[in-house]
Amino acid sequence: MIGQAGCACPAAGGTTQRSGRTGHRTVGDNQNLLAEQRRALILDEVRKRGGVRVNELTRRLNVSDMTVRRDLDTLARQGHIEKVHGGAVPVADGSTHEPGFEVKSALELTAKEDIARAAAAMAVPGTAIALSGGTTTYALARHLVDVPDLTVVTNSVRVAEVFYAALPAGGAGGRHPGAATVVLTGGVRTPSDSLVGPVADQAIRSLHFDVLFLGVHGISVEAGLSTPNLAEAETNRRFVRSARRVVVVADHTKWGTVGLSSFATLEQVDTLVTDAGLPDSAREEMAERLPGLVVAGEPEIVADDPRTRAEGDADSPAEAGPES
């Protein structure tokens, strides 16, 4: 659908909590959490530490033994952890594993916020931009609401809700000068609250963007950009082909992760915006292959021989990548 920011569905009541450095945050900092938030924190602990014990979680969360066990049961049913005697350990994520939005939104909070702030500086007032689905693009959207006269194309329900919530009381009828115009694609909703499928693909195919801000499930030299969702892969291909410039926003945990379906090569990426947790070896790989590498909080690395798209390419963005 097309319209002012109010075209999105009414904003959801949930909010994403922020913290200091994620690596130093303990579960015990949060005692009054919703079940999904609590489980997301438990999952983060399991992945960071390689396993947790029930009695440790009860102390840190300040909840009962039964509550922790129910949370572990839920996470195990969802395929995120494996229960063992007295606790839980992580399971290796398969190439088709796709965590839900709430789970992902509680991970790497500081990194995502740093990336969002750095990427937002690339948005030029009065231009047409696209934001794919994902928790990092969701964080970025919150930094873009004050950039005037943007046209925002997105397949993310959550991103659209950010712009809707930024309107004055009264929603769409309370539009103010400079408010973003939002184009929300239709489609089938994924676990990460993205809209994908033929309807989304057709809408994106007919549009042209100055910049695409693209969230990814995984990034690697061999597989390029990938996702565990086949339909989302095709929708992301359409996004890439319709953009004059592709900016990938991905925290360091996405490096080396490979999903079921690749949808773009590194040669189709203009800039990667990431965080300081990216290993030096990965930075070298990206600096050699991409025209631009931005590590949030550090000076941008620009290749000596950047791949620049000719101005004429803007007239036929659909030719930017090979058909599959």
Side-chain angles (χ1 to χ4, degrees), residues 44-273:
D44 193 29
E45 285 289 297
V46 171
R47 288 175 171 170
K48 286 191 302 184
R49 300 173 54 194
V52 293
R53 299 186 65 83
V54 171
N55 57 5
E56 294 175 337
L57 293 174
T58 57
R59 290 195 302 270
R60 296 185 181 187
L61 284 165
N62 194 26
V63 294
S64 70
D65 178 277
M66 288 302 297
T67 296
V68 169
R69 292 185 185 278
R70 283 196 298 269
D71 286 342
L72 295 181
D73 286 339
T74 299
L75 291 171
R77 285 196 303 271
Q78 293 172 344
H80 299 311
I81 65 168
E82 179 181 350
K83 291 185 66 181
V84 296
H85 180 69
V89 295
V91 295
D93 287 345
S95 61
T96 61
H97 176 68
E98 184 177 10
F101 186 92
E102 297 300 338
V103 171
K104 292 192 293 184
S105 66
L107 304 177
E108 302 299 333
L109 293 175
T110 301
K112 290 174 182 176
E113 186 66 17
D114 291 343
I115 291 168
R117 189 178 299 108
M122 301 179 183
V124 178
T127 58
I129 67 172
L131 277 76
S132 72
T135 53
T136 307
T137 50
Y138 173 72
L140 172 58
R142 298 198 299 268
H143 288 270
L144 294 177
V145 293
D146 294 325
V147 179
D149 299 317
L150 287 178
T151 297
V152 180
V153 179
T154 185
N155 68 325
S156 169
V157 175
R158 301 284 186 142
V159 166
E161 287 173 346
V162 169
F163 288 96
Y164 179 88
L167 291 173
R175 179 182 180 272
H176 57 82
T181 297
V182 175
V183 180
L184 177 62
T185 71
V188 179
R189 200 164 181 165
T190 70
S192 60
D193 284 347
S194 300
L195 300 176
V196 301
V199 173
D201 299 345
Q202 183 60 38
I204 296 167
R205 184 185 291 114
S206 63
L207 300 173
H208 309 282
F209 328 121
D210 295 301
V211 181
L212 163 65
F213 293 101
L214 180 64
V216 298
H217 171 81
I219 179 171
S220 72
V221 173
E222 296 78 12
L225 312 182
S226 61
T227 173
N229 189 302
L230 290 173
E232 186 167 44
E234 181 58 29
T235 299
N236 284 343
R237 287 189 193 102
R238 297 299 173 187
F239 266 131
V240 171
R241 290 172 186 148
S242 293
R244 295 180 61 191
R245 184 184 181 200
V246 177
V247 177
V248 172
V249 288
D251 68 73
H252 68 278
T253 65
K254 307 300 178 66
W255 173 252
T257 297
V258 177
L260 176 65
S261 178
S262 295
F263 58 85
T265 65
L266 293 182
E267 286 70 29
Q268 291 174 276
V269 176
D270 295 288
T271 302
L272 168 65
V273 184

Side-chain angles (χ1 to χ4, degrees), residues 14-37:
T15 59
T16 300
Q17 294 189 354
R18 302 180 184 179
S19 68
R21 291 183 58 84
T22 305
H24 297 283
R25 179 178 180 173
T26 64
V27 183
D29 293 336
N30 304 272
Q31 296 183 3
N32 298 308
L33 299 173
L34 297 175
E36 286 297 323
Q37 295 171 313

